[in-house]
């Protein structure tokens, strides 16, 4: 059996091994666009007078998990941040920090996922960087991506736009990503267990742009889950939000892990879902449009904006009411 | 998951709610509320999570009892665990214990200083760690009621079978029936019925509550943790109060038997014996805990590492003791939600996810 190919410190040394790694693994996948010729910086065209610009780092453990890996997560995370700001994602930077000893095949799988996810999201990797650190100085593979998107006309998004009677829509079952990573890390083996929902949401945003003027705010409920996003929206505001437990979409796999570990799915991250607050008039058509799309089949109208200042309230399955609090402490470290 | 849905059916809940309201109207007239103590922390959480107080008549007062194992663990126990970790011994614990204040500091704080403290979901993790690190001492923080006793002692049984010599447990096991006896006879409390714990009852059996029923006793209903289980349990309690009887009623028969789990009981008998132990906020209750028998001293962290669990000191303003006894509600405490929050807890009832104060803070401020 051949030796397993691994990342060596020399792969980051700037010499021949570095050059080979970049040529074989990076340029072969991403070298067609602005990356061609490996300039120090990418020159990219933009459409309008304004762009949206964001960055995010990814340190998820394990690197591969049911339904995805750190690579597609690093693309979707940044693409989705652009999308919920009302932008069409266009350009991505890709910075890799590799630990000495990382299996090259694992790196290849991650880069393949990045390529597939970028193509699916309509973004081009325009610039990048690769560093290698000694064994023990990072945990296998860390990724940073930054993204630039063209601002879509018509969206004026802010939590301060929320008005009593607005509706709260969610684009699909929540919490699958967090539960999938947690189940993988804790070696919880469940038949039909949760699969990460990691996916781009930009098409959902485009579908909603028909009613852009009626959209108050959008956010992807990642770390801290739906509960955190909802609470951030009403914090210090004159309005509140009430959601109905019966309407909150959950996969059976996420429910199983939630029950086993006693974790509230409202506190657990999704990486391919979107939360939108829009006017009551725009809600039915937006929901219908989402439900007709592959990434929105499980979309639901889960609640409304109320006059209960600063409070997020859940109407439970039993007909009672309770506060939806933000998660505290080290619920699920390193899920993205 | 379909199995669980049956116990969360909104239509069935509405029907039970009507039954509860109509039975409450038939209660004999009284100048005080009808006090039902839910003994177990998981019931407290489920009641808060499903907003059950919200759908009950005002006459029904649910009191959260002492059934959160973290909440009743004495500060001195945390001090001992911290001392072990500071000596470089690997301490393995359920996550809830991390932020519980000891007399001076918490496990989370000393972990951030670099002390070896590992969080686990199962006691088996402590055994695994002991096997992975044969040159290190590993101590599992063995707290809890009857439910967690058997799995915690089982790692000692496995350690003996597999010749693992570097594992021991720091024991703070508590027993539910002696606590019920102490609370039932406390003149400050006027308890009309006990909603008895689900999983503890699976171990000890529903018959364990017989001494608290009959002449001079109160209804004791064993109920599961699903919201419909709880509503059904409350309906059963009210039916008994209307009829003027006090019996054991096991409504969780899908899990709980009259005699309990004989295998778990045998395991407990083999390794443990009754002990007088201190309950945080309540004090020492005779024979209300379990200690390792002398013949297993090798696996007893106190003996093995020559450390004694003392009675710890608590912040004098903290009302957790009264909350645990059901004399105060969390919001009656002057620190609740102001100086004492889940991010900065003073008392264990705010730390533990099953604590009464945490449940109130989280779900019904």
């Amino acid at each position: 059996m051949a030796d397993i190919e691994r990342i060596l410190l020399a792969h980051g040394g700037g010499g021949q091994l570095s050059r080979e790694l970049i040529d074989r693994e990076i340029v072969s996948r991403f070298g067609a666009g602005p990356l061609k010729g490996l300039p120090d910086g990418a020159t990219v065209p933009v459409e309008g007078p304004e762009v949206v610009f964001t960055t995010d780092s990814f340190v998820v453990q394990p690197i591969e998990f049911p339904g995805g890996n750190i690579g597609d997560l690093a693309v979707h995370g940044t693409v989705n941040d652009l999308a919920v700001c009302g932008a069409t994602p266009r350009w991505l930077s890709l910075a890799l920090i590799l630990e000495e000893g990382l299996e090259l095949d694992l790196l290849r799988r991650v880069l393949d996922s990045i390529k597939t996810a970028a193509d699916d999201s309509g973004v081009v990797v325009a610039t990048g960087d690769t560093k290698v650190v000694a064994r023990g100085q990072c945990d296998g593979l860390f990724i940073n991506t930054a993204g630039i998107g063209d601002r879509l006309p018509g969206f004026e998004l802010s939590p301060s736009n929320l008005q009593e009677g607005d509706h709260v829509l969610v684009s699909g079952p929540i919490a699958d990503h967090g539960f999938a990573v947690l189940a993988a890390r804790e070696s919880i083996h469940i038949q039909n267990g949760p699969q990460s929902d990691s996916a781009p949401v930009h098409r959902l945003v485009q579908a909603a742009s028909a009613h852009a003027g009626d959209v108050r705010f959008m956010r992807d409920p990642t770390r801290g889950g739906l509960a955190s996003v909802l609470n951030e929206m009403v914090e210090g505001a004159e309005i509140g939000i009430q959601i109905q437990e019966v309407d909150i979409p959950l996969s059976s796999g996420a429910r199983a892990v939630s029950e086993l570990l006693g974790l509230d799915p409202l506190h657990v991250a999704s990486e391919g879902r979107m939360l939108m607050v829009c006017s009551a008039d725009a809600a039915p058509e937006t929901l219908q449009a989402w439900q007709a799309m592959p990434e929105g089949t499980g979309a639901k109208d889960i609640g409304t904006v109320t006059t209960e200042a600063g409070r997020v309230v859940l109407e439970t399955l039993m007909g009672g009411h309770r506060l939806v609090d933000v998660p505290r402490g080290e619920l699920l470290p390193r899920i993205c | 998951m379909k199995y669980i849905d049956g116990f969360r059916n909104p239509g069935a809940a509405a029907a039970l709610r009507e039954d509860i309201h109509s039975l409450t109207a038939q209660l004999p007239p009284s100048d005080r509320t009808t006090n039902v103590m839910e003994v177990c922390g998981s019931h407290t959480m489920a009641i808060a999570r499903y907003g059950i107080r919200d759908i009950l008549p005002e006459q029904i007062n649910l009191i959260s009892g002492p059934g959160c194992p973290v909440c009743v663990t004495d500060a001195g126990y945390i001090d001992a665990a911290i001392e072990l970790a500071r000596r470089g011994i690997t301490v393995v614990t359920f996550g809830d214990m991390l932020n519980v204040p000891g007399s001076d500091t918490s496990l989370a704080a000393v972990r951030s200083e670099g002390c070896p403290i590992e969080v686990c979901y199962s006691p088996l993790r402590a055994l695994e760690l002991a096997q992975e690190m044969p040159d290190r001492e590993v101590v599992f923080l063995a707290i809890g009621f009857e439910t967690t006793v058997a799995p915690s002692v089982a790692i000692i049984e496995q350690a003996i079978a597999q010749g693992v010599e570097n594992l021991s447990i720091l024991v703070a096991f508590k027993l539910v029936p002696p606590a019920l006896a102490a609370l039932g006879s406390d003149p400050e409390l006027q308890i009309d019925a006990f909603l008895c714990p689900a999983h503890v009852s699976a171990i000890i059996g529903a018959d364990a509550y017989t001494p608290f029923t009959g002449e001079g006793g109160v209804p004791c209903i064993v109920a599961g943790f699903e919201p419909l289980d709880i509503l059904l349990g409350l309906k059963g309690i009210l039916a008994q109060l209307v009829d003027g009887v006090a019996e054991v009623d096991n409504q969780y028969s899908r899990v709980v038997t009259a005699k309990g789990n004989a295998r778990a009981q045998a395991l407990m008998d083999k390794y443990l014996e009754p002990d007088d132990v201190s309950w945080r906020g309540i004090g020492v209750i005779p024979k209300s805990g379990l200690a390792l028998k002398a013949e297993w001293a090798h696996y007893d962290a106190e003996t093995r590492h020559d450390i004694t669990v003392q009675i710890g000191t608590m912040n004098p303003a903290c009302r957790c003791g009264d909350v645990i006894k059901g004399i105060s509600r969390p919001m009656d405490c002057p620190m609740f939600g102001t100086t004492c929050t889940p991010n900065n807890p003073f008392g264990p009832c705010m730390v533990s996810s099953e604590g009464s104060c945490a449940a109130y803070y989280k779900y019904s401020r």
Side-chain angles (χ1 to χ4, degrees), chain B residues 9-77:
Chain B
N9 181 298
L16 280 170
R17 174 187 178 170
E18 274 189 32
D19 293 345
I20 286 170
H21 280 258
S22 105
L23 282 167
T24 305
Q26 297 169 46
L27 285 172
S30 168
D31 54 1
R32 63 169 176 84
T33 54
T34 304
N35 298 325
V36 176
M37 176 173 275
E38 89 268 7
V39 177
C40 177
S42 297
H43 274 141
T44 302
M45 280 314 274
I47 287 164
R49 178 173 165 192
Y50 290 99
I52 286 176
R53 272 191 184 78
D54 206 31
I55 60 173
L56 296 180
E58 280 179 19
Q59 173 63 26
I60 309 297
N61 179 29
L62 296 181
I63 297 174
S64 307
C68 154
V70 171
C71 303
V72 295
T73 298
D74 197 89
Y77 178 87

Side-chain angles (χ1 to χ4, degrees), chain B residues 253-306:
Chain B
S253 56
R254 64 185 191 274
V255 173
V256 175
T257 61
K259 301 292 175 203
N261 183 329
R263 228 178 119 196
Q265 289 169 8
L267 198 60
M268 289 158 72
D269 287 344
K270 179 176 172 187
Y271 288 97
L272 303 159
E273 59 193 3
D275 191 17
D276 302 346
V277 299
S278 174
W279 295 54
R280 192 164 185 148
I282 296 180
V284 174
I285 304 177
K287 305 292 177 210
S288 65
L290 294 167
L292 275 171
K293 290 179 177 171
E295 59 194 293
W296 310 111
H298 179 75
Y299 300 97
D300 186 339
E302 280 193 74
T303 318
R304 186 182 172 95
H305 299 296
D306 191 22

Side-chain angles (χ1 to χ4, degrees), chain A residues 121-147:
Chain A
S121 308
V123 290
V124 172
V125 173
T127 186
D129 179 52
T130 305
K131 294 279 193 301
V132 179
V133 296
R135 195 179 275 275
Q137 294 184 350
C138 91
D139 201 350
L141 165 61
F142 292 163
I143 299 180
N144 172 276
T145 53

